[in-house]
Amino acid sequence: MKTAAATAELVFIPYPATGHLVSTVEMAKQLVRRDHRLSITVLNIEMPFDKSKASSSTQSQLLAAAAEERLKFVYLPQDEAALAGLVPGNFTGIIEMNKQHAKDHVTKMVSTGSTRIAGFVIDLLCTPMMDVAAELGLPSYIFSTSNAAVLGLLFHFETLSREPNRDITELKDSDVELAVPGFVNPVPAKVLPSVLLEKESVFINIAKRMRESKGIMVNTFAELESNAVRSLAEDDKVPPVYSVGPVIHLVKDKNEEAMEIMRWLDNQPPSSVVFLCFGSMGSFEGDQVRQIAQALEQSGHRFLWSVRQPPPKGKREIPGEYRDLNHVLPEGFLECTTEIGKVIGWAPQAAVLTHTAVRGFVSHCGWNSILESLWCGVPVATWPMYAEQQLNAFQLVKELGLAVEIKLDYNKDFRQNGTEVMLVTAEEIEIGIKKLMESGNESGEKIKQRVKELSEKSKIAVVEGGSSYCSIGLLIEEFMKNILIN
């Protein structure tokens, strides 16, 4: 049966990084499938500094697979002359230079006379695009691919920044612990995102802009972050917050590389494998790789380990694949562990986490990865690397009791030319893996049980009657009201 024509159009603008794009596209798919009155146009910005074929291919495949009725993707044109003067890592500059392109495209959409736009849905890192929506007389909504606790932290620091004689930069590298709304425990300054502690941090301005939006969609669910969600709801200076998660992409990869990994897992006993994977930007120098290898060999546990090669010093690029792993791994490691381990490059993370052979996940604590691990019921050992991952790790271990700690404050800031600030020893890694993997460990068993409970709750949240399902329903009503008003 043919569905009725859509009556409200949304314009989605994701940040051009895979972790942001994946959850944004999944959110868009959910909305158009939920209500036949909605259609969505996703305006894609190409990341000028990411020239890796693998990354471009992944994004192209994602968009091609997601294309469906009432969901379309448009690539904004690139201004090569403007790009030449852009400093790598200047993400707000990338967004600013695409504002006119976005305005031109939306103006063209409206000029047909048949398109009634209900609003812009803008990634948290794309808040300059709120100017475009305002110029066109349209409301803006924020989509946060991070969690509710991070949102609360951003708003709290924006408030602190307005206090007279307050210098937030003094917190950097300090031992201070802070009371932060939405957290039960004091938050150590060492787990705060380093970009938040910079002078005139761009994230303070992002928080200011978010206060101007009509609502904030956050990729979490109320049962997971009850304190943080409640704290945001009680703040009358924060727009309505809609918990819409977990928004995750669990489609299994069917390429030969992924299938070979899954065949290897098929041959492992149930709940026997520890999976190590550190995200699309995760990589280590040789000394750290060797410490991990030593820990895995000493632990004796079966493992699947994604090892990525760091980009050249000073280059902000996606890590690549090692041509010969023997150049970075300890001599004889691959031969000694051939019966119990597999070392890979790229990993089909979501598919691996769904496999019954996997018992534990050593993770960089990116929010998408955390949601995937919870959905699949796989406990995490924390090894954060950059952005808000240290805060995520703290929340998992100290606030929620959902993970074991390898490190909470490890920080590999990409603006430090890839220099690692600390070496995590084989002993520390081995202890974390054993806590994660071995039965009889009291704290580990409690965490495993808690993760199992949250796994069940995450699935309930997104089906009819669940907390996120209801939240999305309220959001759709809000979008439709905008059409009636206009």
Side-chain angles (χ1 to χ4, degrees):
M1 184 174 106
K2 188 172 177 60
T3 58
T7 58
E9 179 99 10
L10 293 169
V11 176
F12 270 53
I13 305 180
Y15 183 70
T18 300
H20 290 252
L21 187 61
V22 168
S23 51
T24 301
V25 170
E26 287 300 314
M27 187 71 249
K29 285 162 61 177
Q30 282 194 35
L31 286 170
V32 296
R33 290 172 182 173
R34 176 77 177 268
D35 197 309
H36 67 269
R37 298 172 298 172
L38 290 176
S39 65
I40 293 174
T41 295
V42 181
L43 301 184
N44 294 288
I45 300 167
E46 293 193 60
M47 179 66 86
F49 308 115
D50 179 11
K51 301 300 183 183
S52 75
K53 292 180 181 178
S55 178
S56 299
S57 173
T58 298
Q59 294 190 13
S60 298
Q61 289 172 19
L62 170 70
L63 298 186
E68 56 183 73
E69 188 181 12
R70 294 180 289 111
L71 176 58
K72 56 189 174 184
F73 301 92
V74 174
Y75 278 96
L76 297 178
Q78 282 194 314
D79 186 336
E80 296 297 332
L83 284 174
L86 200 60
V87 177
N90 179 8
F91 66 85
T92 53
I94 297 167
I95 306 307
E96 288 282 354
M97 66 187 294
N98 277 279
K99 284 164 64 172
Q100 188 61 49
H101 296 313
K103 183 179 180 181
D104 291 345
H105 187 83
V106 177
T107 301
K108 190 186 300 182
M109 289 169 61
V110 175
S111 68
T112 64
S114 60
T115 301
R116 304 172 70 194
I117 297 180
F120 278 39
V121 177
I122 299 169
D123 188 284
L124 179 149
L125 297 182
C126 298
T127 51
M129 287 291 179
M130 292 176 68
D131 297 333
V132 176
E135 289 171 20
L136 296 171
L138 297 167
S140 292
Y141 299 84
I142 302 297
F143 180 46
S144 172
T145 56
S146 297
N147 57 24
V150 169
L151 275 181
L153 181 79
L154 291 179
F155 286 125
H156 180 60
F157 267 71
E158 192 275 327
T159 300
L160 291 180
S161 72
R162 288 186 267 114
E163 292 183 359
N165 304 317
R166 186 70 184 249
D167 184 3
I168 293 172
T169 62
E170 292 178 351
L171 295 170
K172 195 166 187 177
D173 300 321
S174 76
D175 294 320
V176 172
E177 294 188 335
L178 305 171
V180 177
F183 285 84
V184 174
N185 298 289
V187 178
K190 289 183 178 179
V191 304
L192 296 174
S194 56
V195 291
L196 192 57
L197 304 180
E198 295 173 347
K199 198 168 186 64
E200 299 180 359
S201 170
V202 67
F203 282 88
I204 299 298
N205 191 54
I206 286 174
K208 288 179 183 175
R209 296 306 306 270
M210 286 197 295
R211 292 190 193 275
E212 302 167 14
S213 70
K214 279 202 70 177
I216 302 172
M217 304 154 61
V218 58
N219 189 7
T220 192
F221 55 106
E223 294 81 0
L224 173 60
E225 291 191 277
S226 56
N227 289 322
V229 170
R230 188 184 309 113
S231 175
L232 288 167
E234 292 171 350
D235 189 338
D236 59 5
K237 294 184 175 60
V238 172
V241 174
Y242 301 87
S243 300
V244 297
V247 182
I248 51 179
H249 181 68
L250 288 176
V251 176
K252 294 185 177 180
D253 298 275
K254 295 181 180 178
N255 60 61
E256 182 53 37
E257 189 178 4
M259 292 174 71
E260 180 190 342
I261 291 167
M262 301 311 288
R263 284 193 292 268
W264 182 84
L265 286 169
D266 289 341
N267 291 323
Q268 309 309 311
S271 269
S272 66
V273 174
V274 58
F275 174 44
L276 299 89
C277 187
F278 300 92
S280 59
M281 294 296 291
S283 63
F284 297 105
E285 303 299 331
D287 287 348
Q288 187 62 76
V289 171
R290 286 183 280 276
Q291 291 295 315
I292 297 172
Q294 185 181 337
L296 288 170
E297 190 170 357
Q298 290 175 178
S299 77
H301 288 288
R302 296 173 185 271
F303 65 87
L304 178 66
W305 179 18
S306 172
V307 179
R308 309 297 300 282
Q309 183 172 22
K313 297 288 187 185
K315 299 284 186 180
R316 185 177 169 84
E317 296 176 359
I318 302 292
E321 308 291 326
Y322 280 102
R323 291 184 179 180
D324 186 353
L325 285 167
N326 286 304
H327 289 163
V328 68
L329 293 170
E331 185 177 352
F333 174 78
L334 292 174
E335 292 77 9
C336 289
T337 59
T338 187
E339 295 296 322
I340 63 167
K342 185 173 181 64
V343 182
I344 58 176
W346 167 87
Q349 179 174 291
V352 169
L353 289 171
T354 63
H355 201 286
T356 56
V358 176
R359 179 185 175 94
F361 179 26
V362 178
S363 171
H364 65 305
C365 299
W367 191 242
N368 287 337
S369 295
I370 289 170
L371 291 177
E372 288 174 6
S373 68
L374 286 174
W375 182 273
C376 298
V378 178
V380 163
T382 63
W383 192 333
M385 301 189 72
Y386 58 93
E388 84 285 12
Q389 293 165 11
Q390 291 78 17
L391 190 71
N392 292 344
F394 173 81
Q395 184 185 24
L396 280 181
V397 174
K398 303 296 185 183
E399 290 280 302
L400 304 177
L402 290 171
V404 301
E405 175 185 350
I406 290 178
K407 280 291 181 184
L408 295 183
D409 59 351
Y410 182 91
N411 195 325
K412 184 176 181 178
D413 191 324
F414 295 104
R415 290 159 305 171
Q416 297 173 352
N417 294 328
T419 302
E420 290 162 13
V421 296
M422 64 178 76
L423 187 72
V424 185
T425 67
E427 182 182 8
E428 291 174 294
I429 302 164
E430 183 186 357
I431 290 171
I433 288 173
K434 286 184 173 179
K435 283 182 182 177
L436 189 66
M437 297 295 291
E438 294 180 1
S439 301
N441 181 294
E442 186 178 352
S443 61
E445 289 299 321
K446 284 182 179 178
I447 288 168
K448 186 177 180 181
Q449 182 58 36
R450 177 80 174 130
V451 168
K452 182 181 177 182
E453 292 169 2
L454 263 296
S455 176
E456 294 168 358
K457 289 179 180 180
S458 72
K459 295 175 174 67
I460 293 171
V462 296
V463 299
E464 189 169 356
S467 59
S468 292
Y469 184 95
C470 294
S471 188
I472 291 172
L474 293 173
L475 188 61
I476 291 172
E477 288 180 21
E478 166 78 11
F479 293 146
M480 300 313 298
K481 283 178 188 174
N482 293 339
I483 293 296
L484 295 174
I485 291 170
N486 294 328

